[in-house]
Amino acid sequence: DVKVTQSSRYLVKRTGEKVFLECVQDMDHENMFWYRQDPGLGLRLIYFSYDVKMKEKGDIPEGYSVSREKKERFSLILESASTNQTSMYLCASLGAANTGELFFGEGSRLTVL
Amino acid sequence: EDQVTQSPEALRLQEGESSSLNCSYTVSGLRGLFWYRQDPGKGPEFLFTLYSAGEEKEKERLKATLTKKESFLHITAPKPEDSATYLCAVQGDTGGFKTIFGAGTRLFVKA
């Protein structure tokens, strides 16, 4: 069965802390994505990666960076967390390109105090 | 810029009361339009992909249709277990496989 695993379901951090959100997929997918989801705004794309060590900015990359050292793992990094980064973060990987289906993890709810 | 707008924001139905959700989109060359279902506290789950105007897909009580500007998700005789947020998304033919989502419609079905 297809699986995308996000390492932390709930995190509470303080302003200025560095935050790592980890995502692992077991499907050998090339494309992986990080979104944040906020009420009324839907899912907004932060970064995506189409291959190891490759990354592309999404619509809201400011304040975030990513790392893709291995095909199965895509990490989202908040260099200095701020309160406006309190959100639900969702990782996804892309299945067969001709269906466009994204497989999502369960999400990581981050609170920045 | 690719854009997706969903309406209504929320929809309350009685069990058995059929209705439709709307998704309006603008995209530079549609590669695919997608519908997902999201339950509270979980990640979205894929429902359908539509590729071209006139196409329809069905799954149980759900039917998705596509025109050049809109997609509809028709829900026939809904049950309480259909309560969820339904998300619409598009991929254009530029920008790799970048997928843009709408804000979703929260559906509540009362028994």
Side-chain angles (χ1 to χ4, degrees), chain B residues 17-38:
Chain B
E17 180 187 1
S18 301
S19 189
S20 297
L21 313 182
N22 177 264
C23 171
S24 299
Y25 67 93
T26 55
V27 65
S28 55
L30 181 69
R31 177 183 280 150
L33 183 139
F34 312 94
W35 284 97
Y36 288 80
R37 170 189 169 129
Q38 186 176 25

Side-chain angles (χ1 to χ4, degrees), chain A residues 9 35 37 59 98-99 102, chain B residues 36 38 41 49 51 98-99:
Chain A
R9 291 296 310 275
Y35 290 88
Q37 186 173 29
D59 297 317
N98 61 346
T99 68
L102 292 176
Chain B
Y36 288 80
Q38 186 176 25
T49 305
Y51 297 102
K98 181 177 173 181
T99 305

Side-chain angles (χ1 to χ4, degrees), chain B:
Chain B
E1 184 179 322
D2 300 346
Q3 197 165 12
V4 177
T5 303
Q6 292 187 247
S7 62
E9 288 186 18
L11 181 63
R12 296 180 185 276
L13 300 174
Q14 288 293 128
E15 183 172 4
E17 180 187 1
S18 301
S19 189
S20 297
L21 313 182
N22 177 264
C23 171
S24 299
Y25 67 93
T26 55
V27 65
S28 55
L30 181 69
R31 177 183 280 150
L33 183 139
F34 312 94
W35 284 97
Y36 288 80
R37 170 189 169 129
Q38 186 176 25
D39 293 302
K42 300 210 166 182
E45 287 188 10
F46 173 79
L47 292 172
F48 304 109
T49 305
L50 301 167
Y51 297 102
S52 57
E55 190 175 358
E56 298 183 352
K57 292 269 179 79
E58 283 190 68
K59 182 178 181 178
E60 295 181 1
R61 295 176 291 282
L62 301 177
K63 183 167 112 175
T65 62
L66 181 64
T67 73
K68 287 188 177 179
K69 293 184 179 180
E70 295 178 297
S71 177
F72 293 92
L73 185 65
H74 306 277
I75 304 176
T76 302
K79 298 183 178 182
E81 54 261 42
D82 295 321
S83 297
T85 296
Y86 291 86
L87 299 166
C88 175
V90 296
Q91 281 181 8
D93 59 10
T94 58
F97 293 100
K98 181 177 173 181
T99 305
I100 302 301
F101 283 80
T105 293
R106 287 176 296 146
L107 175 66
F108 304 92
V109 182
K110 189 174 179 183

